[in-house]
Amino acid sequence: MLATFMYGPGDVRVEEAEEPKILAATDAIVRITLSCVCGSDLHAYHGGGTRSGIARMGHEFLGVVEETGADVQTLKKGDLVLAPFVWADNTCEFCREGLHTSCRHGGSWGNGDVGGGQAEAVRVPQADGTLVKLPVPADSELLPDLLTLSDVMCTGYHAAVKGRVSAETTVTVIGDGAVGLSAVLSAKLLGAPRIILMGRHPARTDLGVEFGATDVVAERGEEGVAKVQDLTNGDGTHVVIEAVGFPAAYDQAFGAVRAGGTVSRVGVPQYQDANVGFARMFFRNITLTGGVAPARAYIEQLMPKILDGTIHPGRVFDRTVALPDIAQAYQAMNDREALKVLVRP
Amino acid sequence: MLATFMYGPGDVRVEEAEEPKILAATDAIVRITLSCVCGSDLHAYHGGGTRSGIARMGHEFLGVVEETGADVQTLKKGDLVLAPFVWADNTCEFCREGLHTSCRHGGSWGNGDVGGGQAEAVRVPQADGTLVKLPVPADSELLPDLLTLSDVMCTGYHAAVKGRVSAETTVTVIGDGAVGLSAVLSAKLLGAPRIILMGRHPARTDLGVEFGATDVVAERGEEGVAKVQDLTNGDGTHVVIEAVGFPAAYDQAFGAVRAGGTVSRVGVPQYQDANVGFARMFFRNITLTGGVAPARAYIEQLMPKILDGTIHPGRVFDRTVALPDIAQAYQAMNDREALKVLVRP
């Protein structure tokens, strides 16, 4: 089968790899029918990640169950299933608390003897806990929308949930990438009356407005912060969602947040140390939260809203490539020519 | 009148100062009958604060109203009153949200034309909003307990509230100073079933146990973290209250916190940059919260528990000095000979 490998910065290759096999009784093999490229894959593409050596890429996919281990109870061959971006047993106390990313028996795609999702097939550990059956036909037009529940939509939603967005909170979203736009959609779902989107790519911020942004601020840095202050009586917003991951966005978030408010990060931080000092954070009682999204915790919650047409998060996909051409997808996203790219085997 | 001044590191002096006068119609003059020295005063004592020049000290006091401005409605000469550690109008939207430290018309003691609380008298701006009448006689034995509502008890309570301590959360408190012990008492009040106190002064940790600590860990740094992990099945606690303010305590807090948990800081941070990176915080979905306590927001909530004997937060006071001898109080607290010192004029 074909699978995607990152050999080094900017060097993505699709190569023949061994067909996955059942290794544990709780495994399933899934034949992947739709996957995509994540903004966080670009960090690896830039060589900025923590991966070493050749990485097996992809952590967002849906497909058809091909084979199940002896202990798999809820799935059978032929089921159309979605995988969240980490695998998890969905039964340990962390999973029960909705923190599947810290599952006692979980892990991430492309690590150890588990492959990545930008491939033709993959072994899924803890299949009963990890996979969610999709109640649509295999050729449903909703598949791109449903695929966003693997990661990007749930990541935006996680940002909003951790930031405690509600009908009583104003929100700023920093970043007009697919996660930022998903965060806008999530803040709207949670009832935020005002959603300021900070981004400078009109095609993206236009989609953000359709998703629910009430204001767009194209300026960045101090100028952008001043704009948010202008829009909010000099106070900033109750919640700031940081969906970028670079230090400048972190600083911008603290400039845009209201005293007593919350900065919720879902952009993977490309830094370690940052200002958490007295004036920045402590005196103003700012909370810093967020983190890797336990997508599995949100899938059942958000799926009905896709099925009934309330939300169309799949609109973040603006291009499709065939798996052998996936390097073009990385390139296009890196060059900001594509927002988020679907991959078909 | 006498007032306390910090001339520089280690140089505390009590000197004659001008009697305070009503400057605005919303002012009151309070003759101070009881005050104390704060752990945060020691930061100034070490020269570590942000103050420049000669500082007027003290932000925790109670006393008797001596004079009121024309617009003061709720107070009259002779009222026994308590002041929180910032003054505030108690009517702006930040105050209504319980964030009096960000009051639109508030400020701090010892700044501008407002004196400090380690003095014989002080001008209190926004007197109606700032001062809380004490429903006890002027010679009540409860005065030291009530005085803790100026700052230390409310600061410990703020840490627990911001950390969302409840009957469902385990808690670690780092620091056996008066704030740390107040945090233990607060966590107990909020129902925490397990409270691990990290401190190495037996007299203090013994009081912590009386306040509700279920475990005491005397070790610090990595050794201390390992002890907390041992006590919690390797997971850490849901909430860690950091009541010290030094970088080592910050690191320790992240070592002791459970995935998905919260580090709540009330030790004034003596640093600006710190690790908020992927492994430390983001991957484990840790929240960092806390900040300067809006004591005013908690006074009415906590006072009944003092009046009915549920809590005795004044037990953190283990020494009393006369105002002219206040330098001895700073010295004793700095040398860890006294936990927290009362000051009588």
Side-chain angles (χ1 to χ4, degrees):
Chain A
M1 67 151 191
L2 295 176
T4 305
F5 299 89
M6 181 81 70
Y7 274 76
D11 185 4
V12 189
R13 306 184 201 169
V14 176
E15 296 182 340
E16 270 298 326
E18 233 178 288
E19 281 288 338
K21 284 181 187 61
I22 297 283
L23 297 181
T26 47
D27 287 350
I29 302 300
V30 170
R31 181 70 38 187
I32 295 169
T33 54
L34 198 61
S35 68
C36 56
V37 179
C38 181
S40 71
D41 293 333
L42 293 184
H43 292 314
Y45 191 72
H46 298 142
T50 56
R51 297 157 196 261
S52 55
I54 300 168
R56 290 160 295 173
M57 303 301 295
H59 53 265
E60 302 160 285
F61 62 91
L62 54 82
V64 177
V65 174
E66 194 164 81
E67 192 186 347
T68 55
D71 291 350
V72 175
Q73 308 273 329
T74 60
L75 303 165
K76 60 178 193 308
K77 187 174 171 168
D79 284 345
L80 184 66
V81 291
L82 173 75
F85 85 94
V86 298
W87 45 271
D89 65 17
N90 203 27
T91 57
C92 79
E93 70 264 46
F94 285 107
C95 287
R96 288 198 307 272
E97 290 169 21
L99 197 67
H100 296 72
T101 42
S102 294
C103 174
R104 291 212 187 278
H105 310 106
S108 54
W109 307 106
N111 270 317
D113 49 18
V114 182
Q118 292 164 0
E120 289 182 309
V122 69
R123 179 173 81 88
V124 177
Q126 303 290 349
D128 278 328
T130 303
L131 296 170
V132 180
K133 273 197 261 193
L134 295 177
V136 295
D139 62 351
S140 167
E141 285 185 358
L142 294 177
L143 292 188
D145 290 305
L146 293 166
L147 179 62
T148 66
L149 300 181
S150 264
D151 180 346
V152 62
M153 179 61 196
C154 290
T155 294
Y157 195 70
H158 184 59
V161 167
K162 292 286 279 184
R164 298 186 185 267
V165 171
S166 75
E168 276 71 50
T169 58
T170 52
V171 180
T172 299
V173 175
I174 300 176
D176 58 8
V179 170
L181 297 180
S182 300
V184 168
L185 189 55
S186 300
K188 176 77 177 175
L189 261 182
L190 293 170
R194 184 160 206 183
I195 304 167
I196 302 170
L197 173 59
M198 303 189 80
R200 55 190 188 130
H201 303 89
R204 299 176 179 197
T205 55
D206 285 353
L207 180 54
V209 170
E210 290 186 56
F211 275 180
T214 54
D215 305 84
V216 171
V217 171
E219 291 82 356
R220 300 202 286 185
E222 282 178 28
E223 227 182 317
V225 165
K227 231 17 185 312
V228 174
Q229 297 291 345
D230 280 351
L231 289 169
T232 56
N233 189 29
D235 290 333
T237 57
H238 297 94
V239 185
V240 177
I241 293 174
E242 196 283 83
V244 177
F246 291 112
Y250 178 91
D251 291 338
Q252 202 167 306
F254 281 90
V257 71
R258 188 174 182 275
T262 300
V263 171
S264 184
R265 292 186 300 176
V266 281
V268 181
Q270 304 301 303
Y271 52 87
Q272 196 167 73
D273 286 9
N275 186 341
V276 292
F278 185 82
R280 164 71 65 98
M281 196 169 169
F282 191 85
F283 179 71
R284 300 177 70 229
N285 271 281
I286 308 300
T287 295
L288 176 62
T289 190
V292 289
R296 183 70 185 80
Y298 302 122
I299 293 176
E300 277 97 343
Q301 204 173 330
L302 292 173
M303 198 187 301
K305 296 186 192 305
I306 290 175
L307 297 177
D308 73 9
T310 307
I311 57 173
H312 272 298
R315 294 184 66 193
V316 295
F317 295 113
D318 56 355
R319 191 173 296 194
T320 303
V321 301
L323 178 58
D325 303 324
I326 199 168
Q328 296 170 18
Y330 278 81
Q331 184 72 54
M333 284 174 63
N334 184 60
D335 295 346
R336 298 280 191 280
E337 282 168 17
L339 175 53
K340 191 169 175 76
V341 181
L342 279 172
V343 180
R344 295 189 189 274
Chain B
M1 67 150 192
L2 294 177
T4 305
F5 300 88
M6 181 81 70
Y7 274 75
D11 185 5
V12 188
R13 306 184 201 170
V14 176
E15 296 182 339
E16 271 298 325
E18 234 178 285
E19 282 287 338
K21 284 181 187 59
I22 298 283
L23 297 181
T26 48
D27 286 350
I29 303 301
V30 171
R31 183 68 41 186
I32 295 169
T33 55
L34 198 61
S35 68
C36 56
V37 180
C38 181
S40 70
D41 292 334
L42 293 183
H43 293 313
Y45 191 72
H46 298 142
T50 54
R51 295 157 197 262
S52 56
I54 299 168
R56 290 159 294 172
M57 304 300 297
H59 53 263
E60 301 159 287
F61 62 91
L62 55 82
V64 177
V65 174
E66 195 164 80
E67 192 186 347
T68 55
D71 291 350
V72 175
Q73 309 274 327
T74 61
L75 302 165
K76 61 178 193 309
K77 188 174 170 168
D79 284 344
L80 183 66
V81 291
L82 173 75
F85 84 95
V86 298
W87 46 271
D89 64 18
N90 202 29
T91 56
C92 79
E93 69 263 47
F94 285 107
C95 288
R96 289 199 306 271
E97 290 168 21
L99 197 66
H100 297 72
T101 42
S102 294
C103 174
R104 292 211 186 276
H105 310 105
S108 54
W109 307 107
N111 269 317
D113 50 15
V114 182
Q118 292 164 1
E120 290 183 307
V122 70
R123 179 174 79 88
V124 177
Q126 303 289 350
D128 279 327
T130 303
L131 296 170
V132 180
K133 273 197 262 194
L134 295 176
V136 297
D139 62 351
S140 167
E141 286 185 359
L142 294 178
L143 292 188
D145 291 304
L146 292 166
L147 180 61
T148 66
L149 300 182
S150 265
D151 179 345
V152 63
M153 179 61 196
C154 290
T155 293
Y157 195 70
H158 184 60
V161 167
K162 292 286 280 185
R164 299 188 185 264
V165 171
S166 75
E168 276 70 50
T169 58
T170 53
V171 180
T172 300
V173 175
I174 300 177
D176 59 8
V179 170
L181 298 179
S182 300
V184 169
L185 188 55
S186 300
K188 176 77 178 173
L189 261 183
L190 293 171
R194 184 160 208 186
I195 304 167
I196 302 170
L197 174 59
M198 303 189 81
R200 55 191 189 129
H201 302 88
R204 299 177 179 196
T205 55
D206 286 353
L207 180 55
V209 169
E210 290 186 57
F211 275 180
T214 54
D215 305 83
V216 171
V217 170
E219 291 83 355
R220 299 202 287 185
E222 283 178 26
E223 230 182 315
V225 166
K227 235 12 188 316
V228 174
Q229 297 290 346
D230 280 352
L231 290 169
T232 55
N233 187 31
D235 290 333
T237 56
H238 297 93
V239 185
V240 177
I241 293 173
E242 197 283 82
V244 177
F246 291 113
Y250 178 90
D251 291 339
Q252 202 167 303
F254 281 89
V257 71
R258 188 174 183 275
T262 300
V263 171
S264 185
R265 295 186 299 176
V266 281
V268 182
Q270 303 301 302
Y271 51 88
Q272 195 167 73
D273 285 8
N275 187 342
V276 292
F278 185 82
R280 162 69 67 97
M281 198 169 168
F282 191 86
F283 179 71
R284 301 179 69 230
N285 271 283
I286 307 301
T287 295
L288 176 62
T289 189
V292 289
R296 183 68 185 81
Y298 302 121
I299 293 175
E300 277 97 342
Q301 202 173 332
L302 292 173
M303 198 188 300
K305 296 186 192 304
I306 290 174
L307 297 175
D308 72 10
T310 306
I311 56 172
H312 271 298
R315 295 184 64 194
V316 296
F317 295 113
D318 57 355
R319 191 174 295 194
T320 303
V321 301
L323 178 59
D325 303 324
I326 199 168
Q328 296 169 20
Y330 277 81
Q331 184 73 54
M333 284 175 63
N334 184 60
D335 295 347
R336 300 280 191 279
E337 282 167 16
L339 175 53
K340 191 169 176 74
V341 182
L342 280 171
V343 180
R344 294 187 190 277

